[in-house]
Amino acid sequence: MTEKDKTIEIRWHGRGGQGAVTSAELLALAAIEEGKFAQAFPSFGPERRGAPVLVFNRISNVNPIRARVSVTIPDIVVILDPGLLQITDVTSGLKKDGTLVINTPKALVDIKSELSGPWKLAAVNATVIAREMLGVPIVNTTMLGALIKATEIIELESLTEPLKERFGARAKGNIDACRKAYEETQIAELCDIVQKPREVLQAEVLPSWRELLPGCVVTEAGSAKQYRTGDWKSERPVWNHEKCIKCGICYLFCPEGCIGQNEDGYFEANLYYCKGCGICARECWTEAIKMVEEE
Ligand code: SF4
Ligand code: SF4
């Protein structure tokens, strides 16, 4: 079997609501338009908006694809949300000479020290591009441009029809975002520099629900406090005390119940649990809260 004949396996890391499933489906449709064989499917747990999500693609030039199992040794990994680096081992199983494509506000030279390995690394600030071209920080179609630039797995033009079919009148913004990411993606061919020791992930530190209460499927009241669900957010609220009149509306509307008053009477969010939904900023009638990108 030649290199050209082999099936390429892709693993997408995103969060619920970021459109990773749509990206993978669009990629598969575009590959099929080119006469290739392709599949796309997600791996869902009990996710909701903001929770980590895995999605998989397999694409082959010549062979029909029968495998339906998750991709554990990918040729390509695509990361839609840089915040996932803190909670997931995104490079797990990535093949030597594979490709890692990441949405990051960092310069390629900085991200290299975090994600070095025997693979090609491609980086783009897809969040900024998506905001500019679509008006929302939903980076799925933008990241398709970065993926194609880094891997040439399909032709960029092959995405046009699937995007038009999926997004109708909104297709142009998505096509433009995809093209801009294609142009702006930076690539480091081989990042096999000395790797920093891997940081311990949250999932490895916290007890699982089984450990919380062995033998019982019901955990004790309050045990959810142990899960730092704030790690899911891509934006966080910042208060401007000059505009705040301490009315408490933000406190009342926060769906996570994570806003409290400090000793000066100003309201602030507990960022361990804030999911960055932006409701507090929308409801604050003095515009004292601004959502800023999470670092
Ligand atoms: S809603 Fe706005 S003005 Fe009212 S307490 Fe919250 S931040 Fe301050
Ligand atoms: S963004 Fe505001 S409303 Fe949403 S979870 Fe955070 S503090 Fe609560």
Side-chain angles (χ1 to χ4, degrees):
M1 188 171 66
T2 67
E3 194 62 17
K4 196 170 144 281
D5 295 343
K6 81 173 194 184
T7 299
I8 301 294
E9 297 187 304
I10 305 174
R11 187 175 68 214
W12 297 76
H13 292 264
R15 292 181 185 274
Q18 287 183 327
V21 179
T22 304
S23 306
E25 284 174 2
L26 288 165
L27 181 65
L29 286 169
I32 290 165
E33 290 250 330
E34 290 184 0
K36 297 177 178 171
F37 296 93
Q39 66 173 199
F41 61 98
S43 160
F44 282 125
E47 279 89 1
R48 47 186 174 157
R49 200 172 177 84
V53 169
L54 289 177
V55 190
F56 311 106
N57 279 121
R58 285 190 178 86
I59 296 176
S60 168
N61 288 337
V62 289
N63 298 315
I65 296 164
R66 300 213 162 78
R68 299 276 165 193
V69 293
S70 308
V71 172
T72 52
I73 308 177
D75 299 273
I76 302 166
V77 168
V78 187
I79 306 163
L80 299 191
D81 185 332
L84 292 168
L85 299 182
Q86 269 74 56
I87 55 174
T88 310
D89 184 6
V90 290
T91 58
S92 168
L94 179 58
K95 282 182 192 161
K96 186 169 176 298
D97 300 326
T99 305
L100 184 60
V101 188
I102 182 166
N103 167 26
T104 175
K106 293 186 183 174
L108 187 62
V109 63
D110 297 326
I111 198 79
K112 259 166 90 171
S113 60
E114 286 174 45
L115 291 170
S116 62
W119 43 69
K120 185 196 278 188
L121 178 61
V124 67
N125 195 336
T127 307
V128 164
I129 295 173
R131 265 193 216 288
E132 185 189 332
M133 311 305 274
L134 306 169
V136 287
I138 297 181
V139 298
N140 57 346
T141 49
T142 310
M143 285 302 284
L144 280 168
L147 167 67
I148 295 167
K149 172 75 169 283
T151 64
E152 298 176 354
I153 191 158
I154 57 165
E155 298 290 327
L156 189 60
E157 300 310 322
S158 305
L159 271 175
T160 305
E161 278 314 307
L163 282 168
K164 282 184 180 164
E165 228 167 86
R166 176 63 64 102
F167 293 107
R170 290 180 293 126
K172 183 172 181 321
N174 285 284
I175 293 169
D176 291 348
C178 192
R179 277 187 203 289
K180 194 161 167 59
Y182 182 88
E183 284 157 16
E184 292 189 6
T185 297
Q186 295 188 314
I187 296 172
E189 282 301 331
L190 189 65
C191 299
D192 202 2
I193 59 176
V194 181
Q195 264 189 294
K196 288 198 302 186
R198 188 170 70 80
E199 284 178 20
V200 178
L201 304 174
Q202 180 187 337
E204 294 165 353
V205 176
L206 294 174
S208 71
W209 63 269
R210 288 186 180 83
E211 289 162 324
L212 286 172
L213 205 57
C216 181
V217 293
V218 180
T219 56
E220 286 177 70
S223 60
K225 277 188 192 160
Q226 297 182 46
Y227 292 95
R228 288 181 46 169
T229 47
D231 284 349
W232 300 358
K233 66 182 170 300
S234 54
E235 291 187 322
R236 67 189 153 87
V238 173
W239 269 256
N240 177 346
H241 289 172
E242 282 174 17
K243 289 187 174 177
C244 175
I245 57 159
K246 303 181 182 176
C247 67
I249 292 288
C250 52
Y251 161 81
L252 289 175
F253 274 88
C254 173
E256 300 300 321
C258 68
I259 295 180
Q261 248 176 324
N262 64 22
E263 51 196 27
D264 297 324
Y266 288 109
F267 288 82
E268 58 190 17
N270 182 333
L271 297 178
Y272 272 25
Y273 304 109
C274 164
K275 295 226 187 79
C277 65
I279 291 174
C280 54
R282 278 202 296 279
E283 295 300 331
C284 173
W285 52 292
T286 65
E287 297 183 351
I289 306 174
K290 192 173 164 218
M291 298 303 290
V292 299
E293 224 160 273
E294 186 60 302
E295 289 166 4

